[in-house]
Amino acid sequence: MGSVRSDHSFGHNAWQGYLLRDYLCEVGMVKWADLFEKYHPLERRIDEIEGHRQDEKITDDEYDVLMEPIILQMQKMEEAADVYDFDEMDLLLLNYAVKHGFGDVAAARGEEEGDGRRE
């Protein structure tokens, strides 16, 4: 969540999110997991295009032309997924932590960050 918040993009975190999708579902963050699952084939295509650019099989201009529709598609998918409620995600993570005996750690971390959420 910190990575998504810091760069304001789920797309920049597509590979990491895909790797964590099972854990996201376990915690209850199903919308996030679904989005990263849908991103996966697009992320693989991005990697392929990036590889061609690095191998100088395509020019930077060709790279831009190939990447633009993928990025736009990912942005549309993100908007449609309705995944911007970070308060809901924080609550899901906190509930999961409490359910599995990590409530004290989660609450203490919140206090250290100054948000005063101690329950």
Side-chain angles (χ1 to χ4, degrees):
M1 284 184 61
S3 294
V4 171
R5 282 183 172 152
S6 67
D7 63 27
H8 308 290
S9 173
F10 285 81
H12 290 188
N13 299 280
W15 178 245
Q16 295 87 350
Y18 179 76
L19 294 175
L20 296 173
R21 70 193 182 286
D22 292 338
Y23 301 107
L24 293 169
C25 285
E26 184 178 336
V27 171
M29 298 169 71
V30 178
K31 289 181 186 179
W32 284 37
D34 288 345
L35 179 61
F36 289 127
E37 183 80 32
K38 291 175 184 172
Y39 273 176
H40 185 61
L42 300 173
E43 181 64 24
R44 291 185 63 179
R45 178 68 179 134
I46 289 170
D47 285 346
E48 179 184 324
I49 294 168
E50 181 62 39
H52 289 316
R53 181 173 75 156
Q54 289 178 8
D55 294 340
E56 298 181 355
K57 294 179 180 177
I58 61 173
T59 66
D60 287 343
D61 290 338
E62 291 170 320
Y63 171 85
D64 291 340
V65 168
L66 292 169
M67 291 294 289
E68 184 177 4
I70 296 171
I71 299 302
L72 291 174
Q73 183 178 359
M74 290 175 83
Q75 288 172 345
K76 287 180 184 176
M77 292 166 69
E78 183 177 320
E79 290 169 10
D82 188 31
V83 288
Y84 297 106
D85 189 348
F86 288 102
D87 290 338
E88 177 187 6
M89 298 307 115
D90 282 336
L91 185 58
L92 288 169
L93 288 169
L94 181 60
N95 288 341
Y96 183 86
V98 169
K99 179 179 177 183
H100 293 280
F102 298 105
D104 289 341
V105 175
R109 182 173 171 260
E111 267 190 2
E112 288 172 12
E113 293 176 2
D115 65 9
R117 279 188 273 167
R118 181 127 180 122
E119 294 180 25

